[in-house]
Structures are given as structure tokens and as C-alpha cells.
């Protein structure tokens, strides 16, 4: 890495799925592998940034020279991120955060007896929207995994959450895979990238992000 485009910057990243307990042995999760977020953590580190990676449960090894904070639930991820966000220059929300958690979680293992249990769901906080709303907060980058109408749904999400840069990817291509095909969305419009390995996609995102960040700071 010849150009340290993020030298001196502090970058906070979320990655992986969250796990929302139903009882002590069961829970609700999703198929996110964490690979894209971990690739971004390495790419930011290689670009000279100091990186904290807040990770949901994954099978991946912590990247060298990156501080990893392990969390399980969306609420824990929210609390870890909000404790750190204000002193970071960049926040990249890659995690596939559960929209809902179980409100009637059981302290003891549910037994198979009588009627099927009913799970009551309650909404989780939106971590990215919370960070994007901080006064003088970090430059925020969001991800959108969609299964259809990729660019339209993703651009609507960018506007709604108030983030300057959003990475749109198709669920079918992105989740679990080693490769990804993304479209970067910002105020200047759409920037489609070719299908590449996640390390190359991460390097391209860092390149784009560093340019936007430096342009913003030069204002
Ligand atoms: O709304 P949706 O979940 O599709 O938005 C995706 C983006 O928002 C991702 O960047 C994701 O990490 C972030 N997000 C979050 N907290 C949530 C839900 C999504 O940070 N509770």
C-alpha cells in the first residue's frame, strides 16, 4: 500500500450478524459472514487508519493491528458503537443488524409442551441512523443489501438515514460469498464497480471514501 490515504484517521466499523436470544440456547440471526466488514477493517488499516471493529458472532480471525470488540446483540453493538463514535473520523456500518429482538425472551430453556410458543418482537435501535444524527459526528458510510430494485431502494435508504456514502449490494451476490459487486451512491450519483474479491471491493471503497473525506475537510 503505497498511499496511506487514511493516515491519522480513526475508523470505527461494524460487521457480521447480530444474534438475538430466544432462550439460553436459541436465537434469531442471519446469514451475514462478516467477510466484507473484516475486509474493510484490513483495507482501512492498510491505508494508515487506526481501526476499531465491533463484530457480531463470526468465525473470522481478528485482523492484525485492529482492535476488535465482540458483541452478540444489536443493543450491545449499539452501546459499543455509541461509546466510541464521537472520537472517530469515520464510521462504516457493514453489520447486518437484526431489526427486531425477542421481547419475551425466556430465562430458561423452552420446553416442547402444549401449544407452540409465541415470540413477541420489539424494534432494535438503528445504529447507523443514531451515529449519522450526532452533531459533529464521524463521516458515515452505510451498506444496503437488497434482493431487488437495488439502486432505488439503496438511494432511498441513503436519504432516510442521512449518510453521505452508501454501498449497495445484492443479497444474492454478497452474503456469505468471497466476492461482491457493489454500486457506490453519493451526492454525485451512482458509481458501479465490477464484481471483485471482497478485499478489492474494500480497497475501492476506501479509495472513494478517502477522496470524499479529504474533499470535505478541505472545505
Ligand atoms: O435499513 P437497513 O438495515 O437495510 O440499513 C442497512 C444499513 O444500516 C447498514 O449500513 C447497517 O449496518 C445499518 N444498520 C444499523 N443498525 C440497524 C439496522 C441497520 O446500523 N439497526
Amino acid at each position: 500500500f503505497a498511499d496511506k490515504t487514511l493516515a491519522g484517521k480513526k475508523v470505527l466499523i461494524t460487521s457480521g450478524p447480530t444474534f438475538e436470544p430466544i432462550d439460553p440456547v436459541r436465537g434469531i440471526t442471519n446469514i451475514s459472514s462478516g467477510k466484507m466488514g473484516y475486509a474493510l477493517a484490513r483495507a482501512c488499516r492498510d491505508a494508515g487508519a487506526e481501526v476499531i471493529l465491533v463484530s457480531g458472532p463470526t468465525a473470522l480471525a481478528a485482523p492484525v493491528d485492529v482492535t476488535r470488540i465482540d458483541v452478540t446483540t444489536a443493543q450491545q453493538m449499539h452501546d459499543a458503537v455509541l461509546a466510541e463514535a464521537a472520537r472517530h473520523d469515520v464510521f462504516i456500518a457493514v453489520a447486518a443488524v437484526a431489526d427486531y429482538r425477542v421481547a419475551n425472551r425466556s430465562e430458561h430453556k423452552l420446553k416442547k409442551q402444549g401449544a407452540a410458543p409465541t415470540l413477541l418482537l420489539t424494534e432494535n435501535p438503528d445504529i447507523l441512523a443514531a451515529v449519522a444524527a450526532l452533531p459533529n459526528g464521524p463521516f458515515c458510510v452505510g451498506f444496503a443489501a437488497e434482493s431487488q430494485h437495488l439502486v432505488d431502494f439503496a438511494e432511498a435508504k441513503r436519504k432516510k438515514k442521512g449518510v453521505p456514502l452508501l454501498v449497495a449490494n445484492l443479497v444474492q451476490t454478497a452474503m456469505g460469498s468471497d466476492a461482491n459487486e457493489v454500486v457506490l451512491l453519493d451526492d454525485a450519483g451512482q458509481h458501479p464497480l465490477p464484481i471483485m474479491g471482497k478485499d478489492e471491493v474494500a480497497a475501492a471503497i476506501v479509495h472513494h471514501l478517502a477522496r470524499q473525506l479529504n474533499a470535505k475537510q478541505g472545505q
Side-chain angles (χ1 to χ4, degrees), residues 14 93-99 124-128 142-144 146 157 161:
T14 64
V94 196
V97 184
D99 291 324
N124 275 328
D126 190 315
I127 304 165
L128 177 58
F143 270 69
E146 306 292 349
K157 214 164 261 184
K161 300 203 186 206

Side-chain angles (χ1 to χ4, degrees), residues 35-122:
K35 286 177 188 167
M36 192 65 242
Y38 278 57
L40 264 165
R42 294 190 298 268
C44 290
R45 172 204 65 196
D46 290 345
E50 196 180 302
V51 182
I52 295 186
L53 178 62
V54 180
S55 178
T58 77
L60 304 173
V64 173
D65 289 334
V66 165
T67 303
R68 185 171 76 172
I69 300 176
D70 289 314
V71 297
T72 303
T73 67
Q75 189 65 52
Q76 289 168 356
M77 186 174 276
H78 171 274
D79 295 350
V81 166
L82 269 290
E84 289 290 342
R87 55 181 202 87
H88 280 77
D89 302 290
V90 178
F91 173 55
I92 313 179
V94 196
V97 184
D99 291 324
Y100 300 97
R101 66 178 175 274
V102 179
N104 58 341
R105 162 182 182 181
S106 173
E107 189 191 337
H108 294 288
K109 190 179 170 194
L110 295 171
K111 306 304 283 179
K112 193 160 86 178
Q113 57 190 15
T118 302
L119 296 182
L120 299 176
L121 300 181
T122 186

